[in-house]
Amino acid sequence: MKKSPQTALIHSDYKPPEGFAAFPPAIHHASTVLFSSVSAMRAGLWKTKHGYTYGLHGTPTTFTLEAKLAAIDGGRFCLLAPSGLAAIAMVNLGLLKAGDDVLLPDNVYAPNREMARWLSADFGISARYYDPMIGAGIAELIAPNTKLLWTEAPGSVSMEVPDLPALCKAARARGVLVALDNTWSAGLALNGFEHGVDIVMQALTKYQSGGSDVLMGAVITRERALNDRIALAHMRLGLGVSADDAYLVMRGLSHMQLRFDAHDASARAIAAWLKGRPEIARVLHPAFEDCPGHAHWQRDFRGAGGLFSVVFDARYTEAQTDRFVDALTLFGIGYSWGGAHSLAVPYRMQAMRPGWESTGTLVRLYIGLEETPDLIADLTRAFATL
Ligand SMILES: *Cc1c(COP(=O)(O)O)cnc(C)c1O
């Protein structure tokens, strides 16, 4: 058919030659997905991922990323969300309804706690909190209407490593689903499913991206029926991710293990050095004995990555420890982690965790990819300002 110039701007008969091959996955930008015929359109099944229906429900780019992420965590199904927190919301809204009860660890990622507060204030879902070190004792907290048990291994500020197998065993005995926020280990150092977890959540914003430049989250499962319940929430909430962001995360994945191991080695060297400093009362790093649940880490984990906390000696005021953080030059002050740059954040634990025992300030450190001795020199300089 002959086309007028205006239509020719939009419709072209050109087809690039087939057979193109390259390592990077293609970036498919799409809202509308084209069907070959009306009957193909009517057959569209967005849930099975055997075809494409709409950009929001997946493209070859997002399906490829989902498959890679499911494999890293040892799962079968994966759903992407525009942030780690959106992934948490997808789990909660997919699995909980009015009248249900959810249990969260006391050290849970703070926005997850805030969401639970909202669910209980406005949605008729009760949210209760447990000591992250409770282990098998969780059985006593499980109520007939408890449907979901959140776990985090370790807590991303106070670093307690829970007894995951004991929590999962008690939950399974009562038919309660267990969700693990596995962001700290990126799925590289801990396989949640091996220990009995039903759902793994990842903030891809961290190590998977590796660039401090993308926000994304994932929910990974092994059972199709469970995936489908969460997928329904994914669809109903309209959660989608951009093709460019998905590409950036895939780009980060190929060297994630190398980066993770480098963060791990440097963080352990710095944690060991900090342990010898008179200013520091406790090093909360799962690979060190000071850390609650260290034995669980030894038993269940294969590595540690770059994130840990220290507690300053109680003789230092908050003003002094703030000055310490302000004095750091190689450590940025800011939330999140997983990129190449080191970070430091002081937390007010007494306000965050009623019953928190240490009185000294807790400072969370993220060890980036800078040279370890340079970071130690920076910390040494900052200690001098105390
Ligand atoms: C960062 C983080 C999240 C949330 O990820 P965002 O992409 O920032 O929303 C959830 N859990 C933990 C443990 C995190 O560190």
Side-chain angles (χ1 to χ4, degrees):
M1 189 171 59
K2 177 139 173 40
K3 299 183 186 78
S4 63
Q6 167 62 20
T7 299
L9 289 175
I10 299 166
H11 291 263
S12 163
D13 294 331
Y14 177 74
K15 288 196 173 58
E18 287 183 15
F20 176 78
F23 290 119
I27 306 175
H28 293 275
H29 292 103
S31 48
T32 299
V33 169
L34 293 175
F35 299 98
S36 57
S37 64
V38 172
S39 70
M41 182 188 81
R42 290 196 172 127
L45 274 176
W46 57 269
K47 255 199 286 188
T48 63
K49 300 195 179 179
H50 289 119
Y52 306 98
T53 48
Y54 189 55
L56 199 50
H57 307 319
T59 65
T61 312
T62 58
F63 285 0
T64 304
L65 175 56
E66 287 171 346
K68 284 177 185 241
L69 294 167
I72 293 168
D73 263 286
R76 286 178 59 213
F77 305 99
C78 175
L79 295 158
L80 297 174
S83 69
L85 185 54
I88 289 170
M90 172 167 50
V91 172
N92 283 333
L93 295 175
L95 302 180
L96 297 170
K97 62 178 186 326
D100 287 349
D101 175 63
V102 56
L103 288 166
L104 303 98
D106 244 333
N107 59 356
V108 74
Y109 177 66
N112 190 351
R113 190 182 190 112
E114 178 53 35
M115 180 169 196
R117 208 181 61 74
W118 187 33
L119 291 177
S120 54
D122 292 348
F123 294 90
I125 294 164
S126 73
R128 291 178 298 135
Y129 301 89
Y130 65 89
D131 174 351
M133 301 311 293
I134 198 169
I138 194 74
E140 285 162 37
L141 294 180
I142 295 175
N145 63 335
T146 305
K147 293 288 156 59
L148 180 64
L149 172 69
W150 271 101
T151 61
E152 212 170 303
S156 65
V157 175
S158 47
M159 298 292 155
E160 301 92 337
V161 188
D163 188 345
L164 206 51
L167 290 169
C168 291
K169 191 164 169 240
R172 178 148 310 220
R174 303 281 292 275
V176 174
L177 291 168
V178 180
L180 166 69
D181 183 335
N182 200 16
T183 302
W184 186 81
S185 91
L188 298 176
L190 174 71
N191 182 317
F193 296 115
E194 277 173 12
H195 300 293
V197 161
D198 300 288
I199 302 137
V200 170
M201 172 260 147
Q202 288 284 354
L204 310 174
T205 307
K206 311 290 165 54
Y207 293 117
Q208 288 83 349
S209 132
S212 311
D213 53 359
V214 183
L215 288 152
M216 204 181 289
V219 176
I220 298 151
T221 51
R222 276 187 165 176
E223 305 294 332
R224 174 170 294 281
L226 180 57
N227 171 73
D228 287 356
R229 286 174 70 191
I230 302 169
L232 203 54
H234 183 262
M235 190 277 275
R236 287 169 168 167
L237 289 165
L239 300 178
V241 304
S242 101
D244 295 306
D245 287 352
Y247 178 82
L248 285 174
V249 173
M250 270 192 278
R251 208 165 192 259
L253 288 184
S254 50
H255 39 71
M256 178 165 74
Q257 180 80 61
L258 297 174
R259 288 184 281 110
F260 188 84
D261 292 345
H263 291 295
D264 191 354
S266 187
R268 284 198 225 196
I270 290 170
W273 176 79
L274 286 165
K275 187 134 183 54
R277 292 291 305 199
E279 299 88 347
I280 298 298
R282 291 176 78 193
V283 173
L284 300 176
H285 184 305
F288 288 69
E289 276 178 15
D290 283 1
C291 194
H294 166 65
H296 303 146
W297 177 83
Q298 272 187 317
R299 182 190 64 193
D300 300 337
F301 286 66
R302 297 183 293 271
L307 193 76
F308 67 96
S309 296
V310 292
V311 179
F312 275 78
D313 190 283
R315 71 178 179 275
Y316 298 109
T317 63
E318 186 181 65
Q320 283 176 296
T321 53
D322 284 358
R323 203 156 65 222
F324 165 86
V325 173
D326 282 336
L328 293 165
T329 59
L330 295 179
F331 289 77
I333 302 168
Y335 297 112
S336 202
W337 37 279
H341 296 77
S342 290
L343 294 163
V345 184
Y347 283 88
R348 292 188 158 148
M349 295 308 290
Q350 277 79 13
M352 265 172 76
R353 292 280 298 283
W356 178 257
E357 277 169 15
S358 302
T359 46
T361 307
L362 180 147
V363 175
R364 186 177 78 175
L365 297 174
Y366 168 65
I367 305 304
L369 295 174
E370 301 91 344
E371 200 69 40
T372 310
D374 291 348
L375 293 174
I376 288 179
D378 197 27
L379 291 162
T380 305
R381 264 193 309 272
F383 276 130
T385 67
L386 280 171

